[in-house]
Amino acid sequence: GINIEIDHLTPCLLDNATGELVDTEYLKASVSDIEKIRAGGWLFDWTAPDLHNAEIYKLCVKGEDEIQGLVAITVEQRNLAVHLQLAESAPHNKGKNKKYDGVGGHLFAIAVQISLENGFGGFIYFEAKNMELVKHYQDAFRAFWCGIPHEYSMLIDEDAAKKSVRRICAYQRSRLKMTAKALNRIRKLDDAAEQAGGYVMDPAKVKHDPQKEQDFMMLRRYCIVNRRKMSELTAEDFRKAGIRGKS
């Protein structure tokens, strides 16, 4: 099954009507895909200007056209990272009567996979919707709250991402037993995202600070060169990276 912990993500969704696991696949969403969902009860505007430079992927049950979730990412060569800008479960996968469980974890797994394919080691970052979700991502994905370039910025580094490769790479089937604990984490994350109004901040509401974005790039490159994790950096590391004060 799909365990929301990043090192146990698998290419399956749980069909709540049957209790069965179903295979999934992800593809780039077409213009017609995005147009079709505009009046379908989706929370976010997936045609917004802030997403014009993003790659949008759709998550589907293998062999079916119905979209189960969408994720928008930007491949950032300057940061050697993938920026997950937006993620959303389809309307029928929200609420008490959701069709499938596990969509949220899959959307983040897609971003990790794209990072791997681009040679970034699976490194991704994103802006959590609020502090409640920060805590869920720390628990569910072992994500690190870095607070830069945005105060709610979080990252999944190479170490955390590598633990998921065997499960998500190529989206091959892996029949692991879904434990009650795993299912509970899935539902907790999805419930928290629903209450917050999304998994991550609406890109239109993210305030950009050029200096902090520059600092993030410098820290990222410092970590790569020195083989350090951003979560382990000290004030001395910040100084060596050329950043004034530990953010």
Side-chain angles (χ1 to χ4, degrees), residues 210-227:
Q211 183 58 57
K212 289 185 177 180
E213 290 174 356
Q214 176 72 11
D215 288 348
F216 180 79
M217 181 190 72
M218 293 170 67
L219 286 175
R220 172 69 175 137
R221 292 179 178 272
Y222 176 87
C223 288
I224 293 172
V225 170
N226 294 280
R227 297 184 178 182

Side-chain angles (χ1 to χ4, degrees), residues 3 39 58-59 83 96 100 124 152 158 186 190:
N3 183 329
K58 61 180 179 180
L59 175 69
H83 182 202
K96 294 181 179 179
Y100 295 110
I124 71 170
Y152 289 151
E158 294 90 339
I186 291 171
D190 288 342

Side-chain angles (χ1 to χ4, degrees), residues 8-245:
H8 290 91
L9 281 168
T10 57
C12 329
L13 294 177
L14 177 67
D15 186 326
N16 283 314
T18 65
E20 297 293 319
L21 299 176
V22 296
D23 287 320
T24 62
E25 60 185 350
Y26 69 93
L27 305 162
K28 274 192 176 181
S30 66
V31 174
S32 60
D33 286 329
I34 301 303
E35 287 296 326
K36 288 177 183 177
I37 69 168
R38 293 190 72 175
W42 289 71
L43 180 63
F44 295 102
D45 179 5
W46 287 85
T47 64
D50 298 273
L51 298 179
H52 284 179
N53 294 322
E55 298 175 2
I56 299 177
Y57 290 87
K58 61 180 179 180
L59 175 69
C60 301
V61 171
K62 196 169 184 178
E64 298 182 6
D65 294 327
E66 185 179 50
I67 296 174
Q68 305 304 330
L70 290 171
V71 60
I73 66 166
T74 304
V75 176
E76 298 183 346
Q77 291 293 338
R78 72 190 295 265
N79 289 325
L80 300 176
V82 160
H83 182 202
L84 189 156
Q85 290 186 266
L86 191 60
E88 183 177 1
S89 296
H92 57 264
N93 289 322
K94 299 175 183 177
K96 294 181 179 179
N97 299 314
K98 66 178 68 173
K99 187 173 183 179
Y100 295 110
D101 267 322
V103 174
H106 271 62
L107 299 178
F108 281 80
I110 290 170
V112 168
Q113 178 64 22
I114 301 301
S115 175
L116 287 166
E117 292 172 0
N118 279 274
F120 304 151
F123 187 102
I124 71 170
Y125 74 102
F126 54 95
E127 290 76 40
K129 185 81 174 185
N130 56 28
M131 280 306 301
E132 181 66 23
L133 276 169
V134 165
K135 296 174 184 177
H136 280 285
Y137 291 130
Q138 288 172 327
D139 180 50
F141 294 148
R142 298 173 183 168
F144 172 61
W145 175 33
C146 55
I148 184 173
H150 185 275
E151 64 176 318
Y152 289 151
S153 288
M154 302 193 73
L155 61 86
I156 295 173
D157 64 24
E158 294 90 339
D159 286 346
K162 284 177 182 176
K163 293 175 183 177
S164 71
V165 175
R166 295 189 186 91
R167 303 294 187 258
I168 64 174
C169 189
Y171 267 52
Q172 295 176 344
R173 183 75 168 186
S174 177
R175 289 186 176 276
L176 298 179
K177 182 180 179 181
M178 177 175 285
T179 65
K181 182 179 179 181
L183 184 57
N184 186 48
R185 289 194 177 190
I186 291 171
R187 289 171 172 161
K188 278 187 175 181
L189 176 61
D190 288 342
D191 289 347
E194 286 183 38
Q195 292 174 14
Y199 291 99
V200 296
M201 291 187 69
D202 184 338
K205 296 180 180 178
V206 176
K207 296 181 180 179
H208 295 279
D209 184 325
Q211 183 58 57
K212 289 185 177 180
E213 290 174 356
Q214 176 72 11
D215 288 348
F216 180 79
M217 181 190 72
M218 293 170 67
L219 286 175
R220 172 69 175 137
R221 292 179 178 272
Y222 176 87
C223 288
I224 293 172
V225 170
N226 294 280
R227 297 184 178 182
R228 298 290 303 278
K229 296 176 67 173
M230 204 173 289
S231 59
E232 299 171 344
L233 297 185
T234 65
E236 178 64 12
D237 288 311
F238 273 65
R239 186 190 66 78
K240 290 179 179 179
I243 297 171
R244 297 181 179 178

